[in-house]
Amino acid sequence: METQQDSRTWLITGCSTGLGHALARVVLAAGDRVFATARNGAALADLVAEYPDRCVAAELDLTEPGRIPEVVAEAVRRFGRLDVLVNNAGYGVVGALEEISVEQMTRNFQVNFFGAIALIQAVLPGMRSQGSGHVVNISAAAAIANYPGFSVYGATKWALEGASESLAQEVGPLGIRVTLVEPGPFRTDFIGRSLERAAGALEAYAGTSGKFAKLLQGMQGRQPGDPEKAGRAVLAAVRSANPPLRLVLGKYAHDKRRRQLAALETELAGWQEVGQPTEFTAR
Ligand SMILES: NC(=O)c1ccc[n+]([C@@H]2O[C@H](COP(=O)([O-])OP(=O)(O)OC[C@H]3O[C@@H](n4cnc5c(N)ncnc54)[C@H](OP(=O)(O)O)[C@@H]3O)[C@@H](O)[C@H]2O)c1
């Protein structure tokens, strides 16, 4: 794989635990600089202590998007430029669609989608003037094919995927790359403190979203994905001369992506006779 080896400055959100913390550590160990954000700055003390010259920590809660421009300006002031933005901060809401409150939906979209978009908007002027940059958006296996119980969480990630596909085509000619990362289950705090439950628990959904919620619960601490290896894969994609639009992480997500591609093909072919001949007949 052809790679570009110059060192970069990264802004990574959600670095307190899990994928964000592991990625920050991998990137710092590789010699790059990291502006790491978390809601609680104390959670970043270990990274700053280990790499005082190349790691700066800042507090950022994505439910307060008004802070985003000043956080990005501070990163640029400290390091002179930003080469990579990683929209990693995020959390899930589990429950049947009917059970999820409007407040829960709105907050989940605010953090996982609107917060990420506001960060992208804040870093793009600098990246455009440099003529280079890389936006990495952490999506999910729920955006490959969604599960019962993850309607809203999955929707936030599908929204991020849709926006990223478009963004990649808009900024590609300006020298800026976009990568969506699709992790399967990784051993982080996601299923624990980062998973919110819907208020209701309707019996009607016990066999669908209820079953899925229990399955998630049983997976805690046994997820096959290693966050450090995920970090190394993201670093390799960013350092590649030809980074992918989608980086699928782990065997589970690879198998799921292949099954989804085959199922889409089967359905498309099965309904082609009905769906295709719906255009005006050429005269
Ligand atoms: N682990 C998996 O299996 C998996 C699979 C697919 C996708 N993902 C995605 O991976 C990303 C990272 O999650 P993780 O697995 O590493 O879980 P994690 O260990 O729980 O980390 C989640 C991070 O998001 C931050 N966060 C949550 N709400 C926030 C808010 N309002 N403002 C700012 N930051 C906020 C958390 O910060 P606090 O410390 O302040 O709570 C934490 O740093 C998420 O986008 C998640 O959707 C994870």
Side-chain angles (χ1 to χ4, degrees), residues 74 120 251:
E74 173 67 3
I120 293 168
K251 183 177 184 309

Side-chain angles (χ1 to χ4, degrees), residues 14 16-17 19 39 61-62 88 153 157 186 188-189 193-194:
S16 55
T17 57
L19 297 176
R39 281 186 291 187
D61 184 334
L62 290 171
N88 164 75
Y153 170 68
K157 299 296 189 179
F186 274 74
T188 69
D189 287 353
R193 67 190 184 88
S194 295

Side-chain angles (χ1 to χ4, degrees), residues 39-191:
R39 281 186 291 187
N40 172 12
L44 307 171
D46 63 325
L47 294 172
V48 178
E50 201 171 337
Y51 299 97
D53 302 334
R54 288 187 286 114
C55 184
V56 172
E59 297 201 347
L60 177 62
D61 184 334
L62 290 171
T63 60
E64 294 162 15
R67 280 248 313 130
I68 287 173
E70 74 187 73
V71 166
V72 169
E74 173 67 3
V76 173
R77 197 180 65 74
R78 295 297 288 263
F79 288 126
R81 60 187 281 132
L82 271 178
D83 301 298
V84 188
L85 164 68
V86 183
N87 277 310
N88 164 75
Y91 73 97
V93 177
V94 67
L97 180 68
E98 191 185 338
E99 298 168 333
I100 301 173
S101 72
V102 171
E103 290 72 24
Q104 284 181 309
M105 291 181 204
T106 307
R107 194 169 164 279
N108 202 210
F109 263 92
Q110 181 56 57
V111 174
N112 294 6
F113 181 70
F114 291 113
I117 298 298
L119 271 155
I120 293 168
Q121 289 180 328
V123 302
L124 279 181
M127 289 182 176
R128 280 193 292 103
S129 66
Q130 288 164 198
S132 68
H134 201 141
V135 174
V136 177
N137 290 326
I138 307 297
S139 179
I144 294 173
N146 207 356
Y147 311 89
F150 255 1
S151 56
V152 170
Y153 170 68
T156 66
K157 299 296 189 179
W158 281 78
L160 198 55
E161 294 235 352
S164 302
E165 274 190 359
S166 176
L167 177 71
Q169 295 167 69
E170 293 167 3
V171 300
L174 310 176
I176 302 165
R177 313 301 185 96
V178 178
T179 295
L180 282 158
V181 177
E182 295 178 337
F186 274 74
R187 210 167 297 172
T188 69
D189 287 353
F190 180 75
I191 299 176

